[in-house]
Amino acid sequence: ADEPMSAIHEHVLQNGMTLLCWPQRHLHGLEFGLYLKGGPLYETEETQGISNLLEHLCFRGLGGLNREGLLRELNRFGTNLDAATYAEGLVFRLKCLPRFFDAALEYFLRFFANVPWTPEQIAAEKQVVLRQLEADGDGDLFDRAACDFRKTENGAFPPLGTPESLMALTEADIQLWQEMIFQPQNACLVMTGNFSDGMELAAIEALSELRNTTAQPPFTQSLPIGFCMRDEQSDLLEEVESDFASVQLAFDVDSEQVYPVAAEVLSTITAGNDDSMLFQALREEQALVAEIESQISRVGQFSRLVIRYDVRSEWLKDTLNKVFAYLHRLTMYVRPARLNQLRTQFTTNNAMLTDDTAALNDRLGWAWMSGDTAQADLDAAAAQYNELTAEELLDAAQTVFRPENLTIAVQYDPETVGDLRPMLQKLRETL
């Protein structure tokens, strides 16, 4: 079924696969993005790290083509294959010139051939991941905070797993997950850039011939434990010997009560750019080490507004007081003039986005991953932005900036700062 949606051409094929196309014929390049559900969000204690291992194995061989053959193909395109494992999925990206369209499409079809990797390929790639694990250690405080945010009844696991879980993965485990992840009903192919209607039809025809390996889609996202039900027990404090402290404030965003556009505006007003109130307030006192940042962080269908900054230890308590005072003020009043300033910025960003094949590819792929491809529609987002009133933004602020949505993570030196928990409890009560 085709659903015309702004410049987006959405095709949901009979095998359950989604093809999202955004033609940009004024550009020279064409970008493919293959988005597959999977990742540590769906893993267990026993299978943790398996999705990342599968992503790695795709560079050792794919659909019967070995590593050398894959590299020859990529060299022919004059490009590279980029890949990453995220909490909720695997993403493979390739940019090429339009004249290589047929060969590049054939390359992506190989992901669904389900040709198993050899024991030698698996053993070699496990050693690569082991070296990564040694280099990465246990991850930092904010990695653990991200892990906690997506925790379900199965638990929450780091993308690479552990050395023990990695080495315990069998060929049968790997083939089972290969069959679950690399099947059409679990996938979305995104095409952005310079391609013709004929190329789009060729992609539809080729992808329609792919067959599923399971009767039902294998991955259904669960509600994170504690989502919108946080308290001081959710907070993560880590004591370190340092002249500097690091702060992260993360607010769960209930998408049923807050429009995505309103959440983005809140993030921008709070600390999303250099003229944000928090940046100006903290920077003036030279308290910030670098910048204060705010963004909407998403894991599949769920998101949170994350504020991050580093500060000299002696300024930590003062900056926390200022941040919470400002967030409280946002729940009381939003200046209409500030919202009008952001409309211009948003319009400019939209215009720039339509010249960026990679950014559009990201937008389309992650909208599909969230279960709502309409989120990628720039025209609809622009309309929502223009219709958003200061009163509606105030309502969104009152919905988001609540203690039951908040997880605080702070890395600090107790010798300089003292006991932080009583203060954090009082700050929660100001919201």
Side-chain angles (χ1 to χ4, degrees), residues 41-42 88 149-155 218-227 299-302:
L41 182 65
Y42 303 103
E88 69 275 54
F149 170 70
R150 55 181 167 78
K151 190 172 186 177
T152 65
E153 291 180 0
N154 284 335
F219 303 112
T220 303
Q221 188 174 3
S222 303
L223 180 74
I225 292 174
F227 187 74
V299 176
Q301 300 168 25
F302 300 97

Side-chain angles (χ1 to χ4, degrees), residues 130-149:
L130 279 177
R131 291 195 291 274
Q132 270 190 304
L133 281 164
E134 288 172 8
D136 290 356
D138 296 329
D140 65 17
L141 178 70
F142 305 116
D143 289 335
R144 298 198 295 277
C147 221
D148 277 4
F149 170 70

Side-chain angles (χ1 to χ4, degrees), residues 345-411:
Q345 180 182 327
F346 183 86
T347 303
T348 302
N349 289 345
N350 262 13
M352 298 296 185
L353 200 62
T354 57
D355 283 341
D356 189 335
T357 58
L360 277 184
N361 208 289
D362 262 349
R363 188 177 180 96
L364 287 167
W366 290 110
W368 171 81
M369 196 74 81
S370 74
D372 182 11
T373 51
Q375 287 183 21
D377 186 343
L378 292 180
D379 289 347
Q384 290 175 10
Y385 215 103
N386 288 328
E387 292 166 5
L388 185 67
T389 65
E391 290 76 16
E392 288 170 331
L393 191 57
L394 178 62
D395 185 58
Q398 292 170 350
T399 304
V400 172
F401 297 126
R402 292 179 176 177
E404 60 266 32
N405 297 336
L406 173 62
T407 299
I408 304 172
V410 187
Q411 194 175 53

